[in-house]
Amino acid sequence: RKESSAASDVYKRQDYPSAFIVRSGNTRTRALGTQFEVERLPDGEKITLIEHSIQVLAETRNDQSLNQTLNAPGESLHYAENGGFQYRQRSPDSTASWRRNQLYVDAEPLGHVIARLNRYQAKRLVILDSELAAREISGIFDPRDQAGSLRTLTDSLPIRTLSLSPLLILLY
């Protein structure tokens, strides 16, 4: 299981009737003439609409099908692997911010933020405390600057760090 992000611009063509579908984990996102992003997270997927509309389908562990349509830019669904969608309206600035070398975070669990930051660096950040990982944070980070992002977090939150090797930093 690998965390990653993808953004799609899909243009509807009359001569190509098939739908464009992105599969990630247990979710399928279907688009016809739209822009959206799908992000794989440690505990599921996040799907965010940028333009037009999309249909999101998910299969739960109990073999139930979930179906949700997003119609307004910034609408977002988080599908947790333990089942169910969480709806959220996101700031337009946050959508596809990674394309601009920014990590725009709006009330997201620190654990998700760290997973996203880890995609950009060989040195892993690991949170030891589950309460700390669940703490919601907001901010804008440059994912290419791990030291700066870590400094921002330790300056603004009660976080301590321990560097165990050139490739591992523990947060607690």
Side-chain angles (χ1 to χ4, degrees):
R1 176 168 167 87
K2 179 98 172 153
E3 285 85 36
S4 61
S5 297
S8 299
D9 297 332
V10 182
Y11 300 95
K12 188 174 184 178
R13 291 179 44 184
Q14 300 302 329
D15 60 337
Y16 192 75
S18 297
F20 178 81
I21 298 172
V22 173
R23 293 177 187 262
S24 177
N26 291 333
T27 64
R28 293 187 315 265
T29 303
R30 183 173 196 248
L32 290 172
T34 191
Q35 289 185 33
F36 64 97
E37 68 180 11
V38 176
E39 183 173 9
R40 185 100 163 149
L41 298 169
D43 64 345
E45 288 78 40
K46 181 175 75 171
I47 299 98
T48 304
L49 178 65
I50 298 170
E51 186 175 287
H52 299 297
S53 65
I54 56 175
Q55 177 186 26
V56 181
L57 304 169
E59 298 295 325
T60 68
R61 288 184 180 165
N62 302 333
D63 293 325
Q64 295 177 344
S65 293
L66 302 175
N67 183 346
Q68 183 77 35
T69 301
L70 301 180
N71 293 305
E75 284 186 323
S76 180
L77 291 174
H78 177 241
Y79 173 76
E81 289 187 345
N82 60 5
F85 286 128
Q86 287 182 322
Y87 172 85
R88 195 156 174 200
Q89 180 66 42
R90 307 192 76 75
S91 163
D93 292 334
S94 71
T95 58
S97 63
W98 57 272
R99 289 198 223 174
R100 299 183 302 274
N101 291 317
Q102 293 180 324
L103 180 57
Y104 185 97
V105 177
D106 181 22
E108 291 187 34
L110 180 60
H112 288 184
V113 176
I114 294 301
R116 293 167 73 189
L117 287 170
N118 280 339
R119 294 180 196 155
Y120 294 85
Q121 304 291 328
K123 185 182 282 190
R124 299 290 99 190
L125 303 173
V126 176
I127 302 174
L128 297 178
D129 179 353
S130 61
E131 282 187 31
L132 182 60
R135 183 173 182 159
E136 290 187 349
I137 67 166
S138 298
I140 300 173
F141 302 91
D142 181 344
R144 300 166 300 172
D145 180 11
Q146 187 180 58
S149 296
L150 193 54
R151 191 170 36 258
T152 299
L153 290 170
T154 57
D155 287 350
S156 58
L157 296 170
I159 297 176
R160 293 185 180 170
T161 63
L162 176 62
S163 183
L164 289 183
S165 76
L167 296 176
L168 180 62
I169 298 176
L170 302 179
L171 286 73
Y172 61 97

